[in-house]
Amino acid sequence: MIPLKLILEGIYSYQDRQTIDFAALSEAGLFGIFGAVGSGKSSILEAITYALFGETERLNARDKRAYNMMNLKSNRSYIELDFINFEDRTFRITREFKRNSKNFDDVKSPTVVLYELINEQWIPLESSNTQQIIGLSYENFKRTIIIPQGQFKEFIELGAKERTDMMKEIFQLHRFDLQDKVSNLYKKNQSELDHLNGQLIGFEDVTAEHIETTETNLHAALASFATIESVHKLHHEKFLNLKKLKEDFLELHKMRSAFAQLLEQKTEKENLRIALNKFEEAQTNFSHPLKSKEKLEQEGVTEEKKLEIEKIRQAEIQQLLQELSTGLNQLKPQYERLPQLRIQELDLELIGQLITFTNEIKSLQERAQKGRNIVQETKEQQLHYKAKIQENETQIAALKLSKPSAHELMELGQWYTKQQGIVQQESDLHIQHIELAKSITQLKQDLYAVHPDPEEFQSNHRTEVGELEHTLQALQNEKSHLLLQQRLTHYAENLKEGSPCPLCGALEHPAINQGQDISLEIIANEKRIAEINETLKYRQDQKFQVEKLLLRLQSLTDQQHDLNTKIQQNASSKIAHLNQFIWTGYSSTDESSYLSKKQELSKIEGQITMMEQQLATDQAALATIDEKLDKYNKALHQFERDEASKQAQINQNKGNLKELNWSDYITQEAESVDREYTALKKSNLEIERDYSALTERFNKLNSQFAAQNSLVQTIAERLETIKREQLEVDSTIQQLLADSSFGTLAEIRQILAENLSIQQIRQQLEQFQIQFETVKAQIGQLEKKLADQVHDENIFIEQEKILEESSQQLKDSTENVARLRQDLDQLRLAYAKKENLLQQQVKLNLRNDNLKQLFNLFKGAGFVQYVSSIYLRQLCDHANIRFHRMTRNQLSLQINDSNEFEIIDYLNEGKSRSVKTLSGGQAFQVSLSLALALAESVQSNTRAAKNFFFIDEGFGTQDVTSVNIVFETLLDLHKENRIVGIISHVEELKERIPVSLSIEKDEEYGSQIFIN
């Protein structure tokens, strides 16, 4: 993962938005981030890990992370990171969270969006999980890419399980963890075998003899079924004939009973028909006229009551009109004088304004005089500060002319610093050369002690290992044969007559093999295999020791060559640096003159700083005075403009008076005039309101009176019309009564009161007639059909019993045939399935033996741990290349038998000790070497062209020589396509790094980032 750009806003001490262009920093290969303690250096790494994984080193989810990460002066936090992954794809991830505007302590959960740059456009992705994109989890990202404070030694202090898990993820060693797969296969096969054995238990009774017996029984049952079925058909036909005759006699009896009931209802239905005819005649001729007569009588009564009510309302409206007319005549003189009173009202308002303006002019004149006095005092202060500032500027200019050249002293100081570094490096390189020569000599002696000729050792080793492996293979084949023979003997001993053989399935065992006891041969075989495995392990360890010594010797030889080159380069640099000394008045070997001038420059700059601070204070005071003076002048001019404006308004108001005179009110108070104005305005409003209200009510009532007169006349006319219509209806009813068969109107009203349903009754009478004729016809047909027939109930019951017995026999025979046929089909299917299951049992037993051996091989993740130990040893060897150099060949790192890190101390006879005994500086060196080796392995594993590595601690624990070695190591990484960033507060490193960032914390604006 290579970062391209990081944007921070509202995170920790970063209040304003800050942008870091990692693309520009990465071009140098090595860059640094420097700043004072607490300036916000480590916050940059936390922002990167939080953007990628949503995790930070200092805070977890239970620590109210969103609230505590947000700057206390900010209401929004935002992180944006652009980066390239190992597949050379470009991504952008953003995380943003905001503060609740109503609750300061409530910070909402962050929103995260992941984009990918595709065809020059940022396309949002569905998932924001970056672990697959980067190829590392958060924990391993901290160990291989970005190493935060306090975590640098974590890898060497990890337990065996945690380190194995880490190696599995980084190097994808899970592909070697076959334990679960083999276990699952073994369990699955065992489960299938158990299931198969359980199935076979249910097939013990399934034999060929059983199938043959069932077939014979089925043929006999089919013959019996044919005879029973023939007899049953005869009995069934006879029963059906007797049942039909019985049903006909029962139906005839039922019809005769129904006909007798219909005869009883015939007279009643005839009377109903006569009543219906009378009701229809009355309804047709008299229903409508009688209803009209009743309606007209009700309307006449209603209209008479209504006419009486409206006449009373008419008299009331007329009385109100007379009262309103009297009130209007009394109020009219006051209303006609209202325009004159309105003019007096306006004059009183103008007079009140005149009194107010006169008083305001007096107040403005007093304030203007006070303002002129303040302006005069401020001008005197202005002159005083101007003179003081001019004097201070003159003194500062003189001091600046007298101070030494700061640029010259800075260049000279850089020359002296570089000279010290060259001399120190010359001494260090000489010491390293001596120590490296000693180490090479010692390694050659150790290698000779193992074998004088390494090439001959490797050739002999290959031959010997090949012979041992060949012998081991033969012994393992022999072991397999012995185990198979032992198992066959076990099967033979456990065979029982009548029980199936587990191998061939035979039930008879005429010639059982009598095996021999070969347990001792198996034990001897296993002992021999163990001895050869021990020999092979010893030879492999011996080979590993020789290869490790050769690798160390090659590494030291390369270091010696590099060291000679650096010694020559340092000597050339020393001569070239001396030739660059061009300053007169100073010595290249004595810094006293330089230090004296530097102190003088510091003293003068201190005086200038103090005087500039005082100058800034005086200038700020002068600016404040100028601002006040401008403010006072503006206020004074405003007073004069307000006075002129008020006087002009007074003159205008005097000219606008029409009814009243200003001279009559000039001595009165404003409150008195205001009371008179308010009273007059109130009186005018009341006169206008009362007159308008009375006029409106009078006009409204006048309209109501006219409408009421019209309503009374309309009701009277309607009443006359109703009376005429009543006479016409009475005449019509009398004529209809004379022409009808009825005697009186009371008789007609009684008939209509029955309210018969004509349609329903007619339908009922028609249905009765149809039913009567139908039943009569059916009786005649049945009597004709049964004229010569006789029904005997005893014969019918006897035949029914015979049929039931025949049906039961047929049912039993049918069920017996179906059962036998089903049993035969099931036996045939079960027999075929049994044969198939026996074949599968043989295969599963063989597979079970093979899987059990594989399970024992991969049990306990031992194979993964073995592969992990190989990777860990290679990692240790790669780390030692740098660790030897950093410790000047005094210390080395190795892996013990428990896969734990140990230190080999060559100053103490090459004895081993725990890594926990290292000093802080040594722990940093070994951790850095391991981290670089681990990062290189990750880079090789991901096949990335470049990779990124960031360190956030450790340089403060190193002395000058160690810092130089570590620094050179980091510089060499650039040649290996590695980009390295460091975070430190050690200022000496800042001068040696080509590109760096400076973090400065401002009290008002928060942390600020500057590029150097």
Side-chain angles (χ1 to χ4, degrees):
M1 191 282 296
I2 300 177
L4 299 177
K5 184 177 71 173
L6 176 66
I7 297 177
L8 302 173
E9 181 181 351
I11 298 292
Y12 289 126
S13 59
Y14 291 89
Q15 181 179 343
D16 296 336
R17 175 168 289 208
Q18 301 291 310
T19 301
I20 300 176
D21 184 5
F22 281 106
L25 298 175
S26 300
E27 291 180 358
L30 175 64
F31 66 90
I33 298 178
F34 297 92
V37 175
S39 61
K41 304 184 300 298
S42 299
S43 299
I44 295 174
L45 298 192
E46 283 210 40
I48 294 176
T49 58
Y50 186 67
L52 291 173
F53 298 98
E55 297 286 347
T56 63
E57 188 62 26
R58 283 185 279 187
L59 299 170
N60 56 40
R62 297 187 300 273
D63 297 327
K64 293 178 64 177
R65 178 163 51 203
Y67 170 81
N68 288 306
M69 285 184 68
M70 182 177 288
N71 186 280
L72 293 176
K73 294 182 180 179
S74 301
N75 293 321
R76 171 180 179 266
S77 294
Y78 179 76
I79 305 174
E80 178 182 307
L81 175 66
D82 295 356
F83 64 95
I84 299 175
N85 76 335
F86 62 91
E87 297 172 322
D88 204 26
R89 295 159 61 192
T90 303
F91 295 89
R92 169 178 292 173
I93 189 165
T94 63
R95 288 187 187 266
E96 179 181 14
F97 42 98
K98 298 180 180 179
R99 196 185 303 278
N100 189 333
S101 59
K102 297 180 180 179
N103 184 0
F104 183 84
D105 294 337
D106 180 21
V107 178
K108 298 178 180 178
S109 300
T111 58
V112 55
V113 183
L114 180 63
Y115 304 86
E116 183 176 1
L117 186 63
I118 300 175
N119 297 327
E120 304 300 325
Q121 290 185 345
W122 291 106
I123 307 300
L125 304 180
E126 293 183 1
S127 172
S128 59
N129 186 0
T130 59
Q131 182 167 332
Q132 293 182 348
I133 293 174
I134 298 174
L136 292 172
S137 65
Y138 169 64
E139 295 298 329
N140 291 331
F141 184 82
K142 293 189 302 178
R143 296 166 183 155
T144 58
I145 303 296
I146 291 181
I147 304 181
Q149 283 185 347
Q151 300 295 319
F152 210 71
K153 296 191 298 180
E154 182 182 5
F155 181 56
I156 61 173
E157 295 177 354
L158 282 176
K161 182 180 182 304
E162 290 80 4
R163 189 183 296 112
T164 300
D165 292 341
M166 175 181 173
M167 300 293 282
K168 283 173 64 177
E169 178 183 326
I170 293 176
F171 299 109
Q172 299 180 358
L173 301 185
H174 55 271
R175 64 185 187 273
F176 299 110
D177 187 3
L178 303 177
Q179 175 186 355
D180 292 340
K181 294 181 180 179
V182 174
S183 176
N184 291 336
L185 289 174
Y186 178 73
K187 290 178 181 178
K188 181 179 178 182
N189 189 80
Q190 186 64 44
S191 175
E192 291 177 359
L193 186 59
D194 294 340
H195 179 68
L196 189 64
N197 291 333
Q199 287 180 302
L200 285 170
I201 291 174
F203 293 97
E204 292 178 352
D205 297 335
V206 179
T207 62
E209 293 80 2
H210 193 182
I211 294 173
E212 185 177 354
T213 302
T214 305
E215 287 179 344
T216 303
N217 294 336
L218 177 60
H219 292 314
L222 287 171
S224 176
F225 172 77
T227 303
I228 293 171
E229 185 181 26
S230 175
V231 174
H232 175 74
K233 284 182 180 180
L234 295 174
H235 291 312
H236 186 259
E237 290 176 359
K238 186 175 181 181
F239 174 76
L240 289 179
N241 293 330
L242 291 173
K243 183 179 180 182
K244 179 62 176 174
L245 181 61
K246 179 180 179 180
E247 289 174 352
D248 288 343
F249 274 101
L250 290 174
E251 182 68 18
L252 178 60
H253 178 71
K254 181 180 177 183
M255 288 294 176
R256 286 172 177 171
S257 299
F259 187 71
Q261 294 176 0
L262 291 173
L263 285 173
E264 294 175 358
Q265 298 176 9
K266 190 168 181 62
T267 304
E268 179 186 348
K269 297 298 181 182
E270 188 63 31
N271 293 332
L272 181 60
R273 186 187 307 278
I274 295 170
L276 181 63
N277 292 335
K278 286 186 177 182
F279 178 77
E280 283 185 309
E281 181 183 357
Q283 187 181 47
T284 302
N285 296 327
F286 293 96
S287 178
H288 180 67
L290 289 174
K291 288 182 179 178
S292 298
K293 178 179 174 62
E294 292 174 359
K295 180 180 179 185
L296 288 171
E297 288 173 353
Q298 292 176 358
E299 288 181 356
V301 173
T302 302
E303 292 298 325
E304 286 177 354
K305 290 179 180 179
K306 189 174 180 182
L307 179 61
E308 184 180 353
I309 292 170
E310 295 302 331
K311 283 182 178 181
I312 295 170
R313 176 62 178 162
Q314 182 182 27
E316 291 175 352
I317 294 173
Q318 188 174 11
Q319 179 65 29
L320 285 174
L321 279 173
Q322 292 175 359
E323 293 175 1
L324 288 175
S325 179
T326 304
L328 282 172
N329 291 331
Q330 292 175 357
L331 194 59
K332 188 174 182 181
Q334 296 179 8
Y335 183 75
E336 291 175 349
R337 191 169 168 268
L338 190 61
Q340 184 180 359
L341 294 174
R342 290 289 190 191
I343 294 174
Q344 291 180 7
E345 180 186 331
L346 292 175
D347 285 354
L348 282 173
E349 184 179 6
L350 292 173
I351 290 171
Q353 292 179 0
L354 286 172
I355 295 172
T356 301
F357 291 156
T358 302
N359 294 334
E360 288 178 352
I361 286 175
K362 291 179 182 178
S363 176
L364 286 171
Q365 289 174 348
E366 292 174 359
R367 293 174 67 189
Q369 185 57 41
K370 291 181 181 179
R372 293 187 188 96
N373 295 336
I374 293 174
V375 167
Q376 184 60 33
E377 293 175 0
T378 307
K379 286 182 177 179
E380 292 175 359
Q381 293 178 0
Q382 185 184 44
L383 293 173
H384 169 71
Y385 275 103
K386 284 183 177 179
K388 190 176 179 182
I389 288 171
Q390 186 176 4
E391 180 183 357
N392 209 343
E393 287 176 344
T394 303
Q395 294 178 1
I396 290 173
L399 284 173
K400 287 183 177 180
L401 290 174
S402 64
K403 73 175 182 178
S405 172
H407 180 71
E408 183 181 48
L409 289 176
M410 182 185 69
E411 291 181 345
L412 187 59
Q414 292 176 349
W415 190 93
Y416 282 131
T417 301
K418 189 173 181 180
Q419 176 70 8
Q420 291 174 359
I422 291 173
V423 172
Q424 181 65 40
Q425 189 176 18
E426 184 179 22
S427 174
D428 293 343
L429 290 173
H430 181 67
I431 294 171
Q432 291 178 29
H433 188 271
I434 295 173
E435 293 175 349
L436 194 59
K438 291 180 180 178
S439 298
I440 291 173
T441 302
Q442 182 62 44
L443 268 178
K444 288 181 178 179
Q445 292 175 358
D446 294 343
L447 189 60
Y448 187 83
V450 176
H451 198 281
D453 189 352
E455 293 183 1
E456 182 182 352
F457 168 80
Q458 291 179 346
S459 176
N460 294 337
H461 176 269
R462 283 193 296 271
T463 303
E464 185 176 356
V465 167
E467 292 175 353
L468 288 171
E469 289 177 346
H470 180 73
T471 304
L472 181 63
Q473 182 63 40
L475 287 171
Q476 288 175 342
N477 293 336
E478 181 183 356
K479 179 181 178 181
S480 298
H481 179 71
L482 291 172
L483 289 174
L484 179 60
Q485 186 176 353
Q486 186 184 44
R487 180 165 294 184
L488 290 173
T489 301
H490 174 73
Y491 284 149
E493 291 173 353
N494 289 280
L495 284 176
K496 295 180 180 179
E497 193 65 32
S499 298
C501 175
L503 296 179
C504 65
L507 298 176
E508 298 179 356
H509 320 294
I512 299 175
N513 181 34
Q514 301 297 323
Q516 298 178 355
D517 186 6
I518 56 174
S519 300
L520 295 177
E521 295 181 24
I522 293 175
I523 294 172
N525 176 275
E526 290 176 344
K527 182 179 180 180
R528 180 59 178 157
I529 289 174
E531 290 174 353
I532 292 179
N533 281 328
E534 285 294 327
T535 305
L536 279 172
K537 184 177 181 302
Y538 171 75
R539 295 306 183 195
Q540 291 291 352
D541 291 343
Q542 191 177 29
K543 179 187 177 185
F544 178 76
Q545 184 68 20
V546 170
E547 289 177 347
K548 186 166 71 172
L549 290 172
L550 287 173
L551 182 62
R552 289 180 181 175
L553 181 61
Q554 181 63 39
S555 174
L556 292 179
T557 304
D558 294 342
Q559 290 181 32
Q560 188 178 45
H561 175 73
D562 293 342
L563 191 61
N564 292 331
T565 303
K566 289 181 179 179
I567 291 173
Q568 295 175 3
Q569 291 175 349
N570 190 71
S572 301
S573 298
K574 184 176 181 181
I575 297 172
H577 189 62
L578 286 173
N579 293 333
Q580 292 176 358
F581 192 86
I582 57 173
W583 296 276
T584 57
Y586 300 95
S587 171
S588 61
T589 57
D590 186 6
E591 298 183 27
S592 58
S593 298
Y594 161 72
L595 295 175
S596 175
K597 287 290 185 180
K598 190 174 181 180
Q599 290 178 354
E600 180 183 354
L601 176 62
S602 176
K603 181 179 179 182
I604 293 174
E605 286 181 342
Q607 294 175 351
I608 291 173
T609 301
M610 291 177 60
M611 296 187 72
E612 285 178 343
Q613 291 175 352
Q614 183 61 43
L615 178 62
T617 303
D618 293 341
Q619 287 174 341
L622 179 60
T624 304
I625 292 171
D626 290 341
E627 195 174 316
K628 287 181 179 179
L629 185 60
D630 183 58
K631 179 180 177 182
Y632 295 153
N633 284 325
K634 288 180 179 178
L636 190 59
H637 294 154
Q638 185 63 38
F639 291 156
E640 294 172 352
R641 286 194 296 272
D642 291 346
E643 182 182 351
S645 174
K646 301 294 181 184
Q647 188 60 49
Q649 190 66 39
I650 288 173
N651 296 335
Q652 183 180 354
N653 284 6
K654 287 179 180 180
N656 290 334
L657 293 176
K658 295 178 180 178
E659 289 286 333
L660 303 178
N661 294 322
W662 165 243
S663 58
D664 296 335
Y665 295 90
I666 194 169
T667 58
Q668 291 189 19
E669 296 294 331
E671 291 79 3
S672 175
V673 174
D674 187 56
R675 285 195 297 273
E676 183 179 351
Y677 165 74
T678 303
L680 180 59
K681 184 176 181 180
K682 182 179 179 183
S683 175
N684 292 341
L685 287 173
E686 289 176 352
I687 292 170
E688 184 178 15
R689 184 180 65 246
D690 293 344
Y691 187 82
S692 299
L694 286 174
T695 303
E696 184 179 356
R697 288 186 63 195
F698 181 81
N699 294 334
K700 187 175 180 181
L701 279 173
N702 211 3
S703 300
Q704 290 180 1
F705 183 70
Q708 192 68 22
N709 288 338
S710 176
L711 179 61
V712 170
Q713 184 178 359
T714 302
I715 295 173
E717 292 174 355
R718 173 61 180 159
L719 193 57
E720 290 296 327
T721 303
I722 290 172
K723 290 178 179 179
R724 286 195 305 271
E725 291 177 353
Q726 283 179 337
L727 293 174
E728 293 175 359
V729 171
D730 288 341
S731 175
T732 303
I733 291 174
Q734 290 299 325
Q735 182 64 39
L736 289 171
L737 184 61
D739 297 338
S740 69
S741 60
F742 300 108
T744 63
L745 288 176
E747 182 185 355
I748 295 172
R749 286 193 175 95
Q750 184 179 0
I751 292 173
L752 290 174
E754 294 178 2
N755 196 20
L756 298 178
S757 176
I758 299 173
Q759 186 68 25
Q760 183 177 356
I761 293 173
R762 285 202 178 279
Q763 187 176 2
Q764 182 180 349
L765 292 172
E766 290 176 0
Q767 289 178 352
F768 174 79
Q769 187 63 31
I770 292 170
Q771 186 179 7
F772 183 84
E773 296 298 334
T774 302
V775 171
K776 184 178 179 181
Q778 289 177 346
I779 289 173
Q781 290 176 358
L782 285 173
E783 288 176 345
K784 182 179 179 181
K785 179 180 179 182
L786 300 175
D788 300 328
Q789 300 289 335
V790 177
H791 169 64
D792 189 342
E793 185 66 21
N794 292 328
I795 295 174
F796 176 79
I797 294 172
E798 182 66 23
Q799 185 62 34
E800 187 177 25
K801 289 181 179 179
I802 293 172
L803 180 63
E804 287 179 358
E805 292 175 356
S806 176
S807 298
Q808 185 63 42
Q809 290 178 359
L810 181 64
K811 179 182 177 182
D812 293 342
S813 179
T814 303
E815 291 176 353
N816 186 41
V817 170
R819 179 178 55 77
L820 289 172
R821 183 177 282 115
Q822 182 180 6
D823 290 347
L824 182 60
D825 292 340
Q826 290 179 349
L827 283 171
R828 287 171 176 170
L829 289 173
Y831 190 76
K833 189 173 182 180
K834 179 180 180 181
E835 290 182 340
N836 185 37
L837 290 175
L838 289 172
Q839 294 176 2
Q840 293 180 25
Q841 186 185 44
V842 174
K843 295 179 180 178
L844 288 175
N845 281 323
L846 180 60
R847 179 176 173 80
N848 195 60
D849 294 341
N850 295 334
L851 288 173
K852 190 172 182 180
Q853 292 184 11
L854 288 174
F855 178 78
N856 293 331
L857 177 63
F858 295 112
K859 182 170 61 177
F863 190 61
V864 175
Q865 293 177 0
Y866 171 72
V867 176
S868 175
S869 65
I870 294 175
Y871 276 85
L872 198 60
R873 292 179 188 277
Q874 293 176 351
L875 189 68
C876 184
D877 292 339
H878 293 160
N880 274 330
I881 296 174
R882 293 189 175 91
F883 188 47
H884 286 161
R885 182 182 176 192
M886 290 183 187
T887 61
R888 294 182 285 278
N889 301 312
Q890 296 176 4
L891 302 175
S892 177
L893 191 67
Q894 77 171 12
I895 301 295
N896 62 18
D897 295 336
S898 300
N899 272 353
E900 299 291 342
F901 286 115
E902 288 183 346
I903 295 298
I904 303 300
D905 191 344
Y906 294 109
L907 296 181
N908 291 285
E909 300 178 356
K911 294 182 179 180
S912 64
R913 54 187 172 96
S914 171
V915 293
K916 296 180 181 179
T917 61
L918 294 174
S919 65
Q922 291 171 333
F924 171 76
Q925 290 172 346
V926 70
S927 299
L928 176 61
S929 301
L930 272 172
L932 290 172
L934 188 61
E936 287 171 353
S937 300
V938 171
Q939 178 182 358
S940 174
N941 192 44
T942 58
R943 301 179 302 278
K946 288 187 176 183
N947 218 322
F948 189 78
F949 186 68
F950 218 129
I951 310 172
D952 185 15
E953 64 172 25
F955 294 97
T957 63
Q958 306 293 297
D959 55 25
V960 176
T961 303
S962 298
V963 167
N964 288 332
I965 295 173
V966 171
F967 187 76
E968 290 174 3
T969 300
L970 297 177
L971 281 176
D972 290 341
L973 294 176
H974 182 48
K975 303 174 184 177
E976 305 168 10
N977 283 332
R978 300 299 304 277
I979 301 168
V980 180
I982 62 172
I983 290 181
S984 179
H985 57 270
V986 180
E987 288 296 326
E988 289 80 357
L989 287 174
K990 185 176 180 181
E991 298 177 359
R992 304 176 64 179
I993 291 180
V995 180
S996 64
L997 299 178
S998 294
I999 313 297
E1000 297 180 5
K1001 188 174 182 181
D1002 186 272
E1003 294 183 358
E1004 181 177 358
Y1005 300 107
S1007 296
Q1008 305 286 310
I1009 299 175
F1010 304 95
I1011 189 167
N1012 301 316

